[in-house]
Amino acid sequence: MAKSPEVKLAVFGRAGVGKSALVVRFLTRRFIWEYDPTLESTYRHQANIDDEMVTMEILDTAGQEDIQQKEGHMRWGDGFILVYDITDRGSFEEVAPIRTLLEEVKKPKNVPLVLVANKSDLDHIRQVSTEEGERLASEMACAFYECSACADVSGGVSEAFHELCREVRRR
Ligand code: GDP
Ligand code: MG
């Protein structure tokens, strides 16, 4: 039997945006309120995507790495989830520089990514509008998902991971 394809995904974004919560939500369909923010973990996960079994290796970065560590993670990954928190404008402003560094590290390949705006349940303290997120995604030519790791009603979290796998497999 043919070995199922393996896809390496890394999750990037400022500390506190909910990277770990999103990964845990995707893997377990549960939300964990407190997760060690300094922890970096990798997970293996198999999923059926468009009738094909895909094995994902998911790297949940801590978001506090120095530049050498960041570049190492970028070289490792095939596809990237860039996360910001809609209640933290600074986290949104950090996305474009991460993307620039990615392009540099992966040059001349163009880099499969998706943009995820997390914490959509906190709309009352929102600092970044949906339109701004959509605009940034279209500048980066990638898919955009606004979702919530803690109240993932529409399944947007796993849709983002699956879409990224498709994007990687298309290359
Ligand atoms: P990380 O540093 O990016 O891995 O962020 P964490 O996953 O550790 O989450 C940081 C904080 O945000 C924790 O207190 C989480 O409970 C909280 N959090 C994460 N995702 C959400 C979300 O979708 N909604 C809300 N309200 N809080 C969230
Ligand atoms: Mg974390």
Side-chain angles (χ1 to χ4, degrees), residues 37-66:
T38 60
L39 214 65
E40 172 187 305
S41 327
T42 52
Y43 303 87
R44 283 175 77 82
H45 177 72
Q46 284 206 323
N48 187 322
I49 302 175
D50 309 329
D51 295 325
E52 182 176 46
M53 282 310 285
V54 176
T55 302
M56 291 169 230
E57 249 188 278
I58 301 170
L59 170 63
D60 172 23
T61 69
Q64 309 165 321
E65 296 81 0
D66 64 30

Side-chain angles (χ1 to χ4, degrees), residues 10-21 23 35-41 59-67 69-71 73-74 81-84 88 90-91 94-95 98 101:
V11 186
F12 278 93
R14 172 186 270 194
V17 296
K19 298 178 296 298
S20 302
V23 170
Y35 207 84
D36 184 343
T38 60
L39 214 65
E40 172 187 305
S41 327
L59 170 63
D60 172 23
T61 69
Q64 309 165 321
E65 296 81 0
D66 64 30
I67 188 98
Q69 289 170 306
K70 272 205 182 96
E71 289 179 359
H73 293 153
M74 289 174 174
I81 302 195
L82 307 189
V83 185
Y84 68 90
D88 174 10
S91 72
E94 281 182 24
V95 170
I98 296 174
L101 186 59

Side-chain angles (χ1 to χ4, degrees), residues 7-9 30 42 47 63-64 75 87 117 123 128 137 140 152:
V7 175
K8 296 194 185 99
L9 309 181
R30 286 193 174 77
T42 52
Q64 309 165 321
R75 276 191 292 273
T87 72
D123 197 50
V128 184
M140 304 194 301
D152 184 32

Side-chain angles (χ1 to χ4, degrees), residues 15-21 31 33-35 118-119 121-122 148-150:
V17 296
K19 298 178 296 298
S20 302
F31 181 67
W33 275 104
E34 287 312 327
Y35 207 84
N118 190 36
K119 309 198 188 179
D121 56 294
L122 299 178
S148 165
C150 82

Side-chain angles (χ1 to χ4, degrees), residues 137-148:
S138 94
E139 281 164 23
M140 304 194 301
C142 71
F144 175 62
Y145 297 90
E146 194 165 274
C147 57
S148 165

